[in-house]
């Protein structure tokens, strides 16, 4: 995609998405049409602009009219993709959180060594949530939730909650194998993620530190997993 214009890159990404969808869901009889690819490309462009607006102007300062103006299209076109700001914000959160969980689902193999697996998961989780983009989204929600409770609900349901559920499924599997003591899988997942987040992530979120070196993330992940395993190992 090197040398392509932004529009061409988005179209290429949309076509690739359609190919992956066909492979994953067996939709070989209905290939992605050029029209569908352009619609996906347009949706991604909307999300790019919306994400930038939410981060720069906040939830309150972002309007559907403003996003339509930045895109250079009509409000009717924007509404055909996203009927309201809440739905648009949810889509932005979905896209951001999906990228966070993308590698995590591959890491969490209940057949692998539990200490190694949880260590890899903790490091990947911390690398993702301490990225500038993830921190900005988290701060946005914290700053807006008192006035706009829907931002907190959306963020919890579509980002935090789904990560908890992903890890809870793994916890249930290793508990079934007898590698962890029997407990509520979701609670175990929440406690491990709480341990992971209690160090550099918490400090970054509050601006107490500016960056987290890889060695700091490594140490936080190692301590979190060690503490968790002391409490849950069968």
């Amino acid at each position: 995609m090197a040398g392509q214009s932004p529009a061409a890159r988005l179209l290429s990404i949309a076509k690739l998405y359609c190919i992956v969808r066909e492979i994953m869901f067996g939709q070989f009889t209905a290939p992605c049409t050029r029209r569908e690819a352009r619609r996906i490309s347009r949706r991604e462009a909307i999300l790019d602009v919306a994400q930038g607006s939410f981060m720069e102007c906040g939830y309150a300062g972002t309007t559907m009219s403003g996003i339509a103006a930045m895109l250079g299209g009509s409000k009717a076109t924007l509404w055909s993709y996203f009927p309201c700001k809440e739905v648009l914000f949810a889509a932005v959160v979905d896209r951001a959180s999906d990228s966070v969980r993308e590698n995590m689902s591959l890491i969490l193999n209940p057949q692998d060594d539990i200490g190694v697996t949880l260590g890899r998961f903790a490091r990947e989780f911390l690398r993702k949530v301490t990225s500038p983009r993830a921190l900005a989204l988290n701060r946005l929600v914290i700053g807006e939730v008192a006035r706009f409770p829907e931002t907190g609900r959306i963020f919890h349901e579509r980002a935090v909650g789904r990560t908890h559920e992903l890890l809870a499924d793994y916890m249930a599997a290793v508990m079934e194998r007898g590698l962890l003591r029997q407990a509520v899988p979701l609670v175990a997942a929440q406690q491990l993620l709480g341990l992971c987040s209690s160090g550099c992530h918490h400090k970054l979120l509050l601006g107490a530190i500016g960056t987290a070196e890889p060695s700091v993330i490594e140490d936080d992940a190692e301590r979190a997993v060690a503490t968790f395993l002391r409490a849950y190992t069968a």
Side-chain angles (χ1 to χ4, degrees):
M1 297 180 189
Q4 289 182 323
S5 67
R9 283 198 297 272
L10 284 170
L11 184 57
S12 297
I13 292 169
K15 289 179 178 178
L16 179 61
Y17 166 84
C18 292
I19 292 170
V20 172
R21 186 198 63 185
E22 291 167 9
I23 293 171
M24 291 179 65
F25 299 102
Q27 298 177 348
F28 296 103
T29 57
C32 184
T33 64
R34 187 173 182 84
R35 180 177 180 181
E36 185 177 5
R38 287 191 178 281
R39 181 168 178 81
I40 294 169
S41 174
R42 183 64 171 170
R43 184 179 189 276
E44 288 298 306
I46 293 171
L47 290 176
D48 285 342
V49 171
Q51 180 171 302
S53 181
F54 283 128
M55 297 304 177
E56 183 176 347
C57 305
Y59 188 81
T62 296
T63 65
M64 297 293 278
S65 298
I67 291 172
M70 285 186 281
L71 287 165
S74 68
K75 286 187 286 186
T77 299
L78 175 59
W79 288 333
S80 71
Y81 287 86
F82 304 101
C84 65
K85 184 168 70 171
E86 183 175 334
V87 173
L88 179 56
F89 181 71
V92 168
V93 173
D94 276 343
R95 189 173 67 162
S97 60
D98 285 348
S99 69
V100 169
R101 289 189 300 275
E102 184 177 357
N103 292 333
M104 294 180 189
S105 60
L106 300 176
I107 292 171
L108 293 173
N109 184 347
Q111 302 304 317
D112 292 341
D113 180 87
I114 187 171
V116 173
T117 297
L118 289 180
R120 291 176 60 202
F121 174 87
R123 288 190 295 274
E124 180 67 14
F125 171 76
L126 279 172
R127 279 194 291 265
K128 294 290 188 180
V129 299
T130 57
S131 69
R133 180 173 294 184
L135 289 168
L137 180 58
N138 204 332
R139 288 169 180 150
L140 165 66
V141 173
I142 292 172
E144 300 278 24
V145 70
R147 292 184 298 166
F148 303 98
E150 64 269 27
T151 59
R153 174 181 54 79
I154 290 168
F155 187 71
H156 185 269
E157 290 176 357
R158 295 173 180 266
V160 179
R162 289 179 183 175
T163 302
H164 287 170
E165 290 167 5
L166 175 67
L167 185 55
D169 288 342
Y170 170 82
M171 294 295 184
V174 292
M175 286 175 186
E176 182 67 23
R177 292 185 60 204
L179 300 177
L180 294 180
R181 65 176 177 81
Q182 289 296 316
V184 179
L186 182 59
V187 172
Q190 291 169 340
Q191 290 177 337
L192 176 56
L193 291 171
L195 288 167
C196 289
S197 302
S198 64
C200 65
H201 176 252
H202 184 71
K203 293 176 182 177
L204 284 165
L205 196 60
L206 298 178
I209 57 175
T211 59
E213 296 297 327
S215 60
V216 174
I217 289 176
E218 181 80 23
D219 288 345
D220 279 1
E222 183 179 339
R223 282 193 292 267
V225 171
T227 301
F228 176 82
L229 290 177
R230 282 196 295 270
Y232 276 94
T233 299

